[in-house]
Amino acid sequence: MSSTQAREAGYVQLRDRWAALVVDLPGRRFAPADSLPQDRAVRASESELGRLLESFAELPQTVVERIETLSAMLRGDAEDADVVSLGSVRGLCRFLVSHAVAVPEVVADGDGQLIAEWLDDRAGRLSMRFRPDGRAEFALAGGEEAGSPSRVRLCGAEEPGKAARSVRAVTGRFPFL
Amino acid sequence: MSPDVLDGADHVVRYCRPRTIDSQGRITAAAFTFRVRRKREEFLSVNWLEHFDATTRAKRMHLLREVLRKKLTLSKRGRLGVLQIGRIRDLALRRGTESVRLVPHRSKEDPSHAGIHVAEEQEMAAAAILANLVEEAFLAQTDAATAAK
């Protein structure tokens, strides 16, 4: 539905979202002609997410389920992005199927970008945010080897594989198996 | 009324949404990242815990939840992470920069409101450190003021 069609169907734009005016104007009963544009966008994105996840057959099922859960969580929070970033999902999945790393915890930022996180008593906390442009912002902080939870051992923005290898050069093995 | 500079021995509390909590219920670095989609958030919202006059931390958390409920929808799967102010302040002092600052943002509705300001280029490193500095986590929504861990 185009912007013009949405307006004609009785929707109004609130900031960047479309909403229905729930009032009956004289001579006109409210009757939405179609679903809201953002709902259609979310549905389209959900099916795209499903197809994308299916294309990574070797991905651990726990990660697939986690990404689907995060997608639903983002959708359910008005403050956050409506959908998970497909570029970010692609980046994380590619990284996980092509590198022998431990299965990370997967969480999301408010813009729908995925963050993989590994925790190790000695090496510390490694957080990698997968950006839609294919790079990862990462930071390795804390752990026994750092001596303080607030000491950053390594941080930057790199191609994810390169970032993980940089971390391995500092920790010895982590996050690789 | 909250002072202009919060005591280093005091604490701030961050509401951590379910998407930022890992499968073990732990608060991750995601809880300390900024939204940038429309416009970068100015700061990470936190609340000064000692503003609430009570004898125990659990009771203070109960009073804080009442304030937060007026502004936010607290999820059952969310967490309230407690961080010591002095340790946040040390981050900037040790680096000799203004990259991480804790500033009171009190309002009539929420005099305990404060913000952690982080320089954009330091965001991921600061997020990982702040997650490491969470000293206690409480359930965001509970009738009994019970610690989550």
Side-chain angles (χ1 to χ4, degrees):
Chain A
M1 181 159 51
S2 69
S3 300
T4 310
Q5 287 169 325
R7 277 194 195 90
E8 286 171 353
Y11 296 118
V12 292
Q13 194 163 21
L14 301 172
R15 297 173 73 182
D16 65 340
R17 289 167 182 250
W18 289 95
L21 271 181
V22 189
V23 289
D24 283 334
L25 299 172
R28 182 179 174 183
R29 303 292 296 176
F30 173 70
D34 200 351
S35 57
L36 300 178
Q38 70 259 26
D39 292 342
R40 297 172 66 192
V42 168
R43 279 204 305 275
S45 178
E46 273 173 356
S47 64
E48 236 181 298
L49 174 64
R51 282 196 297 275
L52 180 59
L53 291 172
E54 278 170 18
S55 70
F56 290 96
E58 312 96 294
L59 206 59
Q61 189 57 27
T62 51
V63 173
V64 172
E65 287 169 8
R66 180 64 180 161
I67 293 172
E68 287 169 344
T69 302
L70 287 168
S71 180
M73 282 177 177
L74 284 160
R75 211 166 47 245
D77 194 323
E79 296 279 310
D80 290 336
D82 289 331
V83 289
V84 70
S85 158
L86 295 176
S88 180
V89 173
R90 191 175 295 112
L92 172 68
C93 295
R94 271 190 193 143
F95 173 73
L96 291 179
V97 298
S98 53
H99 295 83
V101 292
V103 176
E105 292 285 347
V106 182
V107 287
D109 71 13
D111 295 327
Q113 297 178 99
L114 298 182
I115 296 174
E117 201 163 90
W118 295 263
L119 276 175
D120 182 83
D121 288 346
R122 288 178 59 79
R125 180 188 301 270
L126 172 62
S127 306
M128 283 178 78
R129 173 158 59 183
F130 289 80
R131 298 198 316 209
D133 66 4
R135 281 156 56 97
E137 289 169 79
F138 70 100
L140 175 69
E144 289 163 13
E145 289 166 4
S148 160
S150 56
R151 184 173 161 228
V152 177
R153 302 177 73 194
L154 204 62
C155 65
E158 292 272 14
E159 181 276 316
K162 197 173 173 190
R165 286 190 294 276
S166 301
V167 170
R168 181 174 60 184
V170 172
T171 61
R173 180 181 289 259
F174 177 80
F176 288 85
L177 290 168
Chain B
M1 181 177 278
S2 60
D4 288 336
V5 179
L6 302 177
D7 192 314
D10 285 357
H11 299 83
V12 288
V13 178
R14 167 89 171 150
Y15 170 56
C16 306
R17 294 166 189 273
R19 63 174 164 72
T20 71
I21 306 301
D22 75 12
S23 64
Q24 308 295 310
R26 296 172 298 208
I27 294 170
T28 67
F32 300 97
T33 55
F34 287 66
R35 290 190 191 87
V36 297
R37 194 166 44 115
R38 294 192 185 105
K39 184 187 169 211
R40 187 176 189 262
E41 286 175 297
E42 227 178 296
F43 53 84
L44 301 168
S45 269
V46 291
N47 287 79
W48 175 37
L49 187 57
E50 282 73 13
H51 165 79
F52 300 96
D53 192 16
T55 50
T56 65
R57 178 175 282 185
K59 284 177 184 170
R60 284 188 170 124
M61 294 300 284
H62 183 72
L63 296 170
L64 170 60
R65 283 190 194 95
E66 296 299 310
V67 170
L68 291 178
R69 268 192 209 112
K70 290 175 190 162
K71 305 199 293 185
L72 299 163
T73 305
L74 299 179
S75 167
K76 279 181 186 169
R77 287 177 294 184
R79 294 284 186 274
L80 293 167
V82 182
L83 296 90
Q84 194 183 40
I85 291 168
R87 301 194 79 179
I88 298 170
R89 206 170 277 146
D90 282 351
L91 292 180
L93 289 177
R94 288 200 309 144
R95 289 170 165 245
T97 69
E98 285 287 302
S99 56
V100 180
R101 289 180 299 127
L102 182 69
V103 181
H105 289 284
R106 56 179 175 259
S107 64
K108 203 171 166 185
E109 298 74 32
D110 184 1
S112 68
H113 191 217
I116 301 175
H117 296 243
V118 179
E120 198 172 346
E121 63 277 10
Q122 300 276 333
E123 185 182 321
M124 209 61 219
I129 294 173
L130 290 168
N132 280 346
L133 293 183
V134 172
E135 63 177 42
E136 196 172 9
F138 289 77
L139 296 172
Q141 199 193 86
T142 175
D143 290 331
T146 315
K149 64 173 189 180

